[in-house]
């Protein structure tokens, strides 16, 4: 039958080690370069925008938002809600040397400048990563962050989700939410899911699960490809993947896009040439970057 189930353990771990697939730098060097790029971009964003940092949306230690306000806000404005990656866990040197992302909203504001200058608020969501946090709780936290935004900031006109890697997974889980349990229905007009993981079962068999400690049941109920909701009206989804993502990451993006389309969602797949798992998202700090322009065009169409 083929597929990930037939891969030797070492090959599967390599498939889910994003830093091993970049042609630019070695696996350790690219991690350091990525952390430096996102931290510097976030410093620039905070220096150049009006912000509200560490806004609590709940009582948990990680339940905080960073808000970057539009340069010239009107009475109402759209908001891009960004969910960071990091394999749902604290930064560490995994086995084998593989990745990982800044596991914090504090290095995740780099995408704000091109958006706030065009009248879009950017909201960066913090959540409790493993080993403290568990996956069910992370999904609940991100959903509750949107409920908080809707209730606290009535000036927001339309929410656009953007998540990278593990953050794309969490954004996809937001799309599967039954909002009747929350008392409000956020007006989600679009989602940009970048280099995500949408089926968690392969993760069970890699080093990534060492900190997450997921059971098969947890993995299944938190796999977006297995819990696609009925398509809402007026929500557009873009599933983006890098040329130099691993074959497994590329397969996951393709198959999740197909699952959404089969359920009637308005979805498109963007395969970005010349980028890897890291600079595909770093370049959102640049207004001329194709993915930045795609996001701005998505928002302008609403």
């Amino acid at each position: 039958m083929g597929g990930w189930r037939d891969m030797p353990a070492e090959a599967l771990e390599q498939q889910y080690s994003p830093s091993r697939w970049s042609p630019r730098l070695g696996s350790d060097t690219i991690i350091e370069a990525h952390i430096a790029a996102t931290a510097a971009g976030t410093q620039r964003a905070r220096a150049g925008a009006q912000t509200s940092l560490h806004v609590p949306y709940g009582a948990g230690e990680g339940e905080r938002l960073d808000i970057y306000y539009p340069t010239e806000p009107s009475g109402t404005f759209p908001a891009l809600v960004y969910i960071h990656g990091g394999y749902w866990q604290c930064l560490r040197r995994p086995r084998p040397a593989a990745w990982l992302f800044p596991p914090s909203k504090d290095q995740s504001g780099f995408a704000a400048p091109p958006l706030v200058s065009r009248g879009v608020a950017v909201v960066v969501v913090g959540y409790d990563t493993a080993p403290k946090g568990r996956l069910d709780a992370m999904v609940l936290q991100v959903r509750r962050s949107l409920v908080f935004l809707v209730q606290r900031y009535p000036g927001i006109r339309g929410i656009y989700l953007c998540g990278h890697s593990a953050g794309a997974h969490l954004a996809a889980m937001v799309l599967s939410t039954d909002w009747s349990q929350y008392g409000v229905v956020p007006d989600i007009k679009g989602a940009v899911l970048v280099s995500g993981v949408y089926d968690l079962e392969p993760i069970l068999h890699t080093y990534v699960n060492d900190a997450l400690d997921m059971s098969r049941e947890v993995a299944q109920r938190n796999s977006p490809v297995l819990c696609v909701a009925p398509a809402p009206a007026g929500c557009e989804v873009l599933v983006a993947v890098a040329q130099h993502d691993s074959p497994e990451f590329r397969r996951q993006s393709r198959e999740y896009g197909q699952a959404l389309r089969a359920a009637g969602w308005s979805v498109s797949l963007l395969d970005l040439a010349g980028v890897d798992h890291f600079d595909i998202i770093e370049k959102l700090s640049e207004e001329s970057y194709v993915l930045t322009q795609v996001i701005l065009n998505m928002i302008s169409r609403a």
Side-chain angles (χ1 to χ4, degrees):
M1 180 170 132
W4 67 265
R5 287 181 175 84
D6 294 335
M7 290 182 190
E10 184 178 349
L12 190 63
E13 294 227 340
Q14 181 165 341
Q15 287 286 328
Y16 286 93
S17 299
S19 63
R20 291 179 144 199
W21 296 87
S22 173
R24 292 186 295 140
L25 296 166
S27 59
D28 289 341
T29 312
I30 199 167
I31 296 167
E32 295 166 2
H34 177 71
I35 292 172
T38 55
T42 300
Q43 285 184 337
R44 289 193 297 271
R46 290 182 174 183
Q50 180 186 349
T51 61
S52 293
L53 303 178
H54 319 305
V55 178
Y57 66 85
E61 182 182 348
E63 297 179 359
R64 300 289 185 270
L65 304 173
D66 287 347
I67 304 172
Y68 299 76
Y69 295 100
T71 305
E72 296 181 7
S74 56
T76 62
F77 46 84
L80 181 92
V81 175
Y82 182 78
I83 307 167
H84 68 79
Y87 261 155
W88 310 277
Q89 58 198 272
C90 292
L91 183 62
R92 63 194 178 92
R93 189 68 64 187
R95 183 192 92 254
W99 137 293
L100 276 175
F101 262 29
S104 164
K105 66 175 179 55
D106 296 326
Q107 292 85 24
S108 301
F110 54 89
L115 295 167
V116 299
S117 68
R118 299 282 291 272
V120 181
V122 174
V123 180
V124 182
V125 179
Y127 54 94
D128 288 316
T129 53
K132 177 181 179 180
R134 286 291 176 258
L135 206 58
D136 287 320
M138 295 177 214
V139 171
L140 180 60
Q141 284 177 324
V142 174
R143 288 169 172 167
R144 286 196 292 105
S145 75
L146 293 190
V147 172
F148 171 83
L149 278 176
V150 170
Q151 294 174 334
R152 175 76 176 270
Y153 298 98
I156 291 176
R157 173 185 49 81
I159 290 172
Y160 298 81
L161 302 173
C162 180
H164 178 228
S165 200
H169 160 268
L170 292 171
M173 288 301 294
V174 169
L175 297 181
S176 75
T177 306
D178 176 4
W179 292 108
S180 66
Q181 304 175 39
Y182 294 86
V184 300
V185 181
D187 185 17
I188 300 173
K189 293 184 175 296
V192 178
L193 310 176
V194 184
S195 294
V197 180
Y198 309 105
D199 177 4
L200 300 189
E201 189 169 353
I203 296 291
L204 294 174
H205 308 284
T206 72
Y207 70 88
V208 180
N209 200 39
D210 293 351
L212 294 172
D213 195 27
M214 286 188 298
S215 66
R216 191 163 186 266
E217 292 72 27
V218 169
Q220 287 181 333
R221 71 171 168 260
N222 288 293
S223 288
V225 74
L226 300 179
C227 54
V228 175
C235 181
E236 182 180 354
V237 179
L238 174 72
V239 181
V241 67
Q243 176 185 353
H244 300 298
D245 267 317
S246 75
E248 270 293 282
F249 271 79
R250 292 171 59 79
R251 175 191 66 81
Q252 289 231 10
S253 293
R254 182 175 63 252
E255 293 184 1
Y256 181 58
Q258 292 168 348
L260 287 173
R261 189 172 292 114
W265 287 72
S266 173
V267 58
S268 54
L269 182 67
L270 179 61
D271 192 333
L272 280 165
V275 290
D276 57 41
H277 191 84
F278 300 90
D279 58 354
I280 189 175
I281 200 73
E282 293 169 11
K283 289 176 179 287
L284 282 182
S285 62
E286 304 169 9
E287 185 166 356
S288 61
Y289 178 44
V290 59
L291 195 54
T292 309
Q293 289 300 310
V294 165
I295 291 170
L296 287 168
N297 289 338
M298 178 186 286
I299 294 172
S300 71
R301 285 195 296 271

